[in-house]
Amino acid sequence: MASILPPAERRSVVLVTAYAGLSLILLVVGERIPAAGLRGAGAALFAPFDRVAGAADRLFNSWQENERLHERVARLEADNARLRLMAAENPRLRELLGLTAWRGLPLKPVEILALGGGEPLPDAATLSAGRNDGVEVGDAVMTSDGLVGRITECWPTLSRATLLTDANQAIACEVETTGVNGILRFVPAPRPRLILSAVAIADTVRVGERVVTSDLSLRFPRGIPVGVVTRVDHDATGLMQEIEITPAARLARLRHAFIAPGPRPPADGVPRPKLEYEPDPLSGARPTAARDTLSGRTR
Amino acid sequence: MKAIGMFLLASLVALLLRSTVLAALAARGVVIDVLVLATVTWSLRQRDAWGATFGFVLGLAADLDASHWLGRHALALTLLGYGVGRLSNTLVRDSPLTQLVLIALATALHQIWVTAFDATAGVQQLPWFAGRVLLATVTTAPIGVLLLLLTRLLRRRGGYGNASGTSAAG
């Protein structure tokens, strides 16, 4: 067919066939191609522009955000005063009960440079810290409101986090008050939403209850807020519950986040106690602290 | 050389917009398909070979930005770039109506293709599927035409020319 076309058109046909063929090959084998290096180069290339765009966006929204933060600081200061009183007696009570002391979970503040991936909701984010800053693949990413995702690619000065809105992400969670366990997943259709699945029909879950990361999670410290139950329903089989969760963190409007260390394989092979995320009553700020619990599993 | 510079600049701007401002807008339900917008604009101006190349490069960059399905955007935008480039030979490319129809068609096709990868089960997803495609189409097409008009006014020159290839813009 190409031979009956004029030379310029023939060249276009050959070109488009080559591109389409290459795209089809990528569609088939793309998941097996290690694209992290390319993504890293892209992230490094775009980082300065993303910083400029981010700065402009922040400047535009700074007035409104400032008002909101003032209000929040006032509320947190009141909470802080109350928690300080409780913090004074807490160590004594823990000592009496023979519980281990609180231990801080180191949190690294980072800037969200760009959101990418899915539409309409982003499923990945480029962060302003990388391997040189101590960030590693598997670290948890959270805001002061709650869990955002997890580091999946790490470069020297930048990293990439996969957000809760990635349909391939599954996180072991529990209902804070009752300890009911389930698997958190993102369902893109018919309506993009977070679902807590695999919850036994006999378990009682109520609208408004908070959902946090579970001790069963191999990837996240226990107790990081994930969201709030907004709807409780049965799944398609009618044998399990399907619980809709509103995320605690504003996933579409991320500017700053914290990176918490994820499970690292112990150098000596001895299992470490699992870290648990808890608000620190001494500092008043969240998220700041953690305590140890023995999960009894090797990470 | 100038064309390559423009090529890189247009790709950069489209990708940057997509990962910053438009990502926040999309999460609020306003999906502006900047990839299609850039590809159609480029193809109208530079015709089929460059249109396909631009679509492929832009699509591949967008695919790398996503976590899965490498080649998804690249394939769709290559074909759209080529198709619009070929059509631009037979159309009055300066006509806002032509641009509106082209952008709307291209956005609808691109969104159908992309959304199909997110669809996981049966016909109950059809309303969501149609809604998403329609929303992206009705937001992208008018915005695209307005941007093209604005660009033309700012440049104070003619647009893309017509089917005979007499482009005032070159």
Side-chain angles (χ1 to χ4, degrees):
Chain A
M1 185 198 148
S3 61
I4 59 168
L5 296 170
E9 287 187 20
R10 205 182 305 157
R11 200 187 57 201
S12 302
V13 170
V14 170
L15 208 59
V16 79
T17 310
Y19 291 150
L22 189 57
S23 303
L24 277 172
I25 290 169
L26 287 174
L27 260 175
V28 177
V29 300
E31 297 288 327
R32 280 174 241 157
I33 295 173
L38 276 174
R39 261 198 285 270
L45 178 75
F46 278 89
F49 302 106
D50 284 329
R51 278 182 215 277
V52 172
D57 183 48
R58 271 193 293 281
L59 198 67
F60 187 71
N61 291 294
S62 57
W63 183 269
Q64 206 179 10
E65 191 170 1
N66 193 31
E67 271 185 9
R68 206 172 46 243
L69 288 176
H70 267 301
E71 192 185 312
R72 189 163 179 182
V73 165
R75 203 170 54 242
L76 287 175
E77 274 177 353
D79 283 350
N80 194 19
R82 183 172 54 82
L83 289 170
R84 275 181 187 280
L85 286 174
M86 293 162 93
E89 66 180 7
N90 186 274
R92 281 199 307 276
L93 294 173
R94 288 185 77 86
E95 202 181 328
L96 285 172
L97 290 169
L99 298 174
T100 50
W102 299 93
R103 189 159 69 84
L105 180 69
L107 291 170
K108 178 171 185 51
V110 288
E111 196 179 346
I112 308 274
L113 294 178
L115 297 170
E119 275 169 354
L121 282 170
D123 64 9
T126 307
L127 311 182
S128 65
R131 217 176 295 126
N132 295 351
D133 309 288
V135 178
E136 282 186 33
V137 170
D139 288 354
V141 183
M142 62 179 95
T143 65
S144 53
D145 297 318
L147 188 67
V148 166
R150 152 175 191 270
I151 302 288
T152 46
E153 283 170 12
C154 204
W155 307 296
T157 56
L158 300 167
S159 54
R160 182 180 163 91
T162 298
L163 306 183
L164 298 180
T165 45
D166 185 305
N168 288 3
Q169 183 111 257
I171 301 162
C173 290
E174 65 184 31
V175 177
E176 191 179 42
T177 49
T178 55
V180 169
N181 285 304
I183 307 290
L184 187 87
R185 288 177 191 282
F186 177 70
V187 181
R191 183 166 49 87
R193 63 206 201 278
L194 287 172
I195 292 288
L196 191 67
S197 58
V199 177
I201 206 94
D203 288 334
T204 306
V205 180
R206 293 190 182 85
V207 171
E209 285 183 315
R210 279 194 351 146
V211 174
V212 297
T213 48
S214 160
D215 188 37
L216 297 174
S217 173
L218 296 171
R219 293 172 170 174
F220 297 101
R222 182 186 182 186
I224 301 174
V226 172
V228 175
V229 175
T230 45
R231 201 166 66 89
V232 181
D233 209 345
H234 292 174
D235 71 357
T237 65
L239 300 172
M240 306 294 267
Q241 294 186 66
E242 197 179 71
I243 296 158
E244 197 172 320
I245 308 292
T246 300
R250 295 187 305 160
L251 298 171
R253 201 82 187 136
L254 294 170
R255 289 200 195 107
H256 298 283
F258 298 96
I259 295 180
R264 307 262 200 269
D268 52 5
V270 178
R272 295 279 184 275
K274 190 175 182 184
L275 292 171
E276 183 169 345
Y277 170 88
E278 291 282 354
D280 183 1
L282 290 172
S283 74
R286 297 176 58 198
T288 50
R291 70 183 164 87
D292 291 346
T293 55
L294 286 166
S295 67
R297 281 195 309 271
T298 308
R299 304 262 163 246
Chain B
M1 201 63 202
K2 191 184 167 192
I4 292 172
M6 285 300 291
F7 182 103
L8 292 175
L9 184 70
S11 315
L12 192 84
V13 169
L15 291 169
L16 198 61
L17 279 173
R18 186 171 181 262
S19 66
T20 52
V21 184
L22 298 182
L25 271 179
R28 290 171 183 174
V30 186
V31 179
I32 299 169
D33 199 335
V34 73
L35 300 178
V36 164
L37 205 56
T39 306
V40 169
T41 310
W42 188 266
S43 306
L44 277 174
R45 192 176 162 79
Q46 304 286 354
R47 309 293 172 95
D48 47 359
W50 270 105
T53 307
F54 185 83
F56 179 73
V57 171
L58 191 65
L60 201 59
D63 285 327
L64 280 170
D65 187 39
S67 306
H68 316 287
W69 300 115
L70 199 62
R72 172 172 68 156
H73 290 293
L75 180 61
L77 294 178
T78 298
L79 296 177
L80 284 175
Y82 178 74
V84 172
R86 284 303 296 268
L87 278 174
S88 71
N89 293 329
T90 56
L91 296 170
V92 180
R93 294 174 289 167
D94 276 343
S95 157
L97 189 64
T98 306
Q99 292 166 353
L100 185 80
V101 172
L102 273 180
I103 296 171
L105 266 177
T107 307
L109 287 171
H110 183 236
Q111 286 294 321
I112 287 170
W113 170 252
V114 170
T115 312
F117 284 84
D118 289 339
T120 48
V123 285
Q124 75 262 31
Q125 293 187 357
L126 213 59
W128 167 80
F129 191 86
R132 185 171 149 178
V133 171
L134 192 71
L135 183 70
T137 307
V138 297
T139 47
T140 307
I143 289 173
V145 175
L146 278 175
L147 277 176
L148 288 172
L149 275 173
L150 198 69
T151 315
R152 228 169 81 190
L153 285 174
L154 286 174
R155 293 172 74 232
R156 293 174 189 278
R157 290 166 72 181
Y160 303 118
N162 55 35
S164 64
T166 52
S167 168

